[in-house]
Amino acid sequence: MLVDDPDHPLLADFRALNEPAERRRVERAGGYFVVEGVVAIERLLDRPEWKVRGLALLPRVAERLAPLLDGRDLPVAVASEAVLRQVVGFDIHRGALASVDRRPPAVLGDLVRSGEPQLLVAAEGLNDHENLGALYRNAAGFGCAAVALDPTCADPFYRRSVRVSQGNVLAVPTVAVRTLHDLHQAGVTTIALSPSAATPLVDLDRRQLGPGPLAVVVGAEGPGLSDAALGAAAHRVSIPMAGGVDSLNVATAAAIALHHLQGGAGGRSGR
């Protein structure tokens, strides 16, 4: 539907996207989140488990997405860049927005298969939305069964996280955990990444960890993992680096560890 009024009801979910505190309040109260960008929305439309509330598209984007939208009963507002700018409060360079109903977190026990070589990522206190989005993108790239987040992590469905993940927060299940004990109870072996760990990652042999699921555990940049998490992890490893550099970006570090461990989970050598 062609829309030229910024106050049109079809655009209500997308107002004031540049006001983070207000958006968090509105989205949480309404039980939805916003996806931005064509790639992310293409991934969204390919996953029927997510209920799309509505889309706001520039005409050129509506034309590109037409094959995916054909035959679907979805509210679509097609509007000019000027109209969308008035609605969201900034220039919509990507020209594509979708509002999506939230779903409850996945159940860890439904995803973990005891004795099978799965990979997971677990995060403690990861509150940077871009790092969180990059973590999901890497988790998808290495075929992870889930991303487990503790209560102190940021919302992975915040618009920036979804965008940076290229929509992969919609593809990789999210599970909520209180501590690493929840993972251990589900039969997952945990491997904490820490610059202070005495064992280098390259010395961790996937074949000696058993055939079951493994979770790479990461913390926020700066503080890293808490003493409690480090103490609870089944293994603690570090990634050796050149002198004068004490750590890597959290998503980069997780990707290196996932690649190393993928030999037992994905059929490729991890060494």
Side-chain angles (χ1 to χ4, degrees):
M1 177 180 181
L2 188 61
V3 172
D4 58 10
D5 180 3
D7 293 323
H8 195 283
L10 283 177
L11 299 173
D13 282 355
F14 307 110
R15 293 199 175 96
L17 286 182
N18 64 339
E19 299 177 15
E22 178 65 10
R23 289 304 305 175
R24 282 193 291 269
R25 184 191 68 78
V26 170
E27 290 178 14
R28 293 295 180 88
Y32 70 96
F33 60 94
V34 172
V35 176
E36 178 185 0
V38 177
V39 173
I41 290 176
E42 286 175 333
R43 185 162 282 118
L44 166 68
L45 295 174
D46 195 41
R47 305 201 68 87
E49 67 268 28
W50 293 99
K51 184 178 185 302
V52 180
R53 293 162 56 105
L55 296 104
L57 309 173
L58 291 178
R60 58 178 171 79
V61 178
E63 184 176 351
R64 170 174 169 172
L65 294 179
L68 290 174
L69 295 172
D70 186 40
R72 299 194 186 197
D73 185 20
L74 294 177
V76 180
V78 180
S80 69
E81 190 167 348
V83 170
L84 290 183
R85 187 188 307 116
Q86 291 183 65
V87 174
V88 304
F90 57 89
D91 288 333
I92 300 292
H93 300 298
R94 295 172 180 83
L97 297 167
S99 59
V100 186
D101 279 344
R102 287 182 179 267
R103 303 173 67 222
V107 177
L108 183 62
D110 292 343
L111 298 171
V112 172
R113 300 189 296 271
S114 179
E116 295 192 23
Q118 295 174 296
L119 285 177
L120 298 88
V121 177
E124 177 194 52
L126 190 53
N127 49 27
D128 183 281
H129 291 104
E130 292 190 3
N131 284 338
L132 194 55
L135 191 69
Y136 272 84
R137 184 176 178 181
N138 291 340
F142 290 101
C144 288
V147 173
L149 304 178
D150 85 333
T152 62
C153 287
D155 177 15
F157 298 103
Y158 183 66
R159 181 171 55 94
R160 187 178 301 166
S161 294
V162 180
R163 185 181 73 238
V164 172
S165 80
Q166 292 196 334
N168 281 300
V169 297
L170 305 167
V172 181
T174 298
V175 297
V177 296
R178 295 163 297 175
T179 66
L180 296 189
H181 182 63
D182 292 345
L183 291 167
H184 298 157
Q185 280 191 317
V188 179
T189 298
T190 53
I191 301 163
L193 297 184
S194 172
S196 63
T199 302
L201 173 66
V202 293
D203 289 346
L204 192 68
D205 192 331
R206 175 64 176 92
R207 294 166 296 184
Q208 296 176 353
L209 297 175
L214 302 176
V216 173
V217 185
V218 296
E221 291 186 30
L225 289 167
S226 66
D227 291 340
L230 288 171
H235 302 274
R236 290 164 293 282
V237 298
S238 59
I239 299 174
M241 285 170 282
V245 180
D246 61 355
S247 65
L248 296 170
N249 170 274
V250 61
T252 301
I256 292 171
L258 290 169
H259 179 267
H260 177 77
L261 295 168
Q262 196 182 43
R268 285 188 270 172
S269 171
R271 299 300 299 271

